[in-house]
Amino acid sequence: MVEDQDDVRLMLVTALEIEGYAVDGAGNALEGLRRLKASRYDLILTDYAMPGGTGTWMLHEAARLGLADGSRALIITAHPDVRELADVEVITKPLDVDSFLDQVRRLLEGANDQPGLAGAAVEQRPVSTHKVDIVLYINSASPSSVLAQTNLERMLSHFEAAQVKITIVDLVQDPLAGEADKIASTPTLVMHCPEPKMWVLGGLRDTEILEEVLRACGVGESR
């Protein structure tokens, strides 16, 4: 769910979670694109007009990069004329929540029968598909952060990708994104699932402990 107004995003995320969907939230198009680079989604819900880039710009970029093949997309907007993606469904603000949920349900039910937007979508995915949820907070200008991301991605390449959710958060672009996890320095890895949370600081030169945690959580090794 990509929406720059915090109260609107919270309302829609809450409504979707009550319906049983697993929802990732993002506050702008750049953050939404980062999430699309880190995960695959069944449906992309995005506002149209946002600081730093429109929702359709994000969908175009995702399509160009091949980040959401087979996904569906829905633009939410108060703008009367959204033309940049003629094949994407649009729902207008102010929202009727029941109609909004009906449209989301219809899009997801039809996802297996229709070709998706060529690369763009904000998801509703079952929580159970991921056995482990990892967030890596980085400073993209820092060599130690680049090293940590490289080491983490190298380690995860030995495990089943569908069983691990990984999110890379660049605090240069979104300085407040680490508040919920109390991030004081970068790079810092936070393992959200399974509980309890685990924090790992530094460049992840030694990933043996993380590998053991993944195995203990039942994450299969790739062949």
Side-chain angles (χ1 to χ4, degrees), residues 106-162:
R106 178 175 55 78
L107 283 169
L108 290 173
E109 288 174 351
N112 293 330
D113 303 323
Q114 304 174 29
L117 176 70
V122 168
E123 132 187 291
Q124 306 315 328
R125 104 184 86 82
V127 177
S128 60
T129 60
H130 299 110
K131 295 182 178 179
V132 173
D133 183 351
I134 293 172
V135 181
L136 178 63
Y137 293 92
I138 65 169
N139 176 335
S140 56
S142 167
S144 62
S145 287
V146 174
L147 175 64
Q149 183 173 350
T150 299
N151 289 339
L152 178 62
E153 291 172 348
R154 182 183 297 120
M155 182 205 74
L156 291 176
S157 69
H158 300 297
F159 292 87
E160 292 292 340

Side-chain angles (χ1 to χ4, degrees), residues 40-58:
R40 290 295 182 263
Y41 296 98
D42 296 327
L43 175 65
I44 300 178
L45 304 171
T46 180
D47 188 21
Y48 173 67
M50 296 179 288
T54 66
T56 49
W57 171 84
M58 180 191 72

Side-chain angles (χ1 to χ4, degrees), residues 4-76:
D4 62 310
Q5 297 183 51
D6 293 342
D7 54 345
V8 175
R9 186 173 67 252
L10 177 60
M11 177 193 72
L12 295 179
V13 167
T14 301
L16 290 164
E17 289 179 338
I18 290 173
E19 291 294 304
Y21 299 114
V23 188
D24 284 340
N28 56 59
L30 287 173
E31 184 182 351
L33 191 61
R34 289 200 301 272
R35 289 190 177 277
L36 287 169
K37 290 178 179 178
S39 300
R40 290 295 182 263
Y41 296 98
D42 296 327
L43 175 65
I44 300 178
L45 304 171
T46 180
D47 188 21
Y48 173 67
M50 296 179 288
T54 66
T56 49
W57 171 84
M58 180 191 72
L59 295 178
H60 276 303
E61 283 298 295
R64 183 178 65 83
L65 297 171
L67 299 177
D69 295 340
S71 300
R72 312 303 297 171
L74 176 62
I75 292 176
I76 303 167

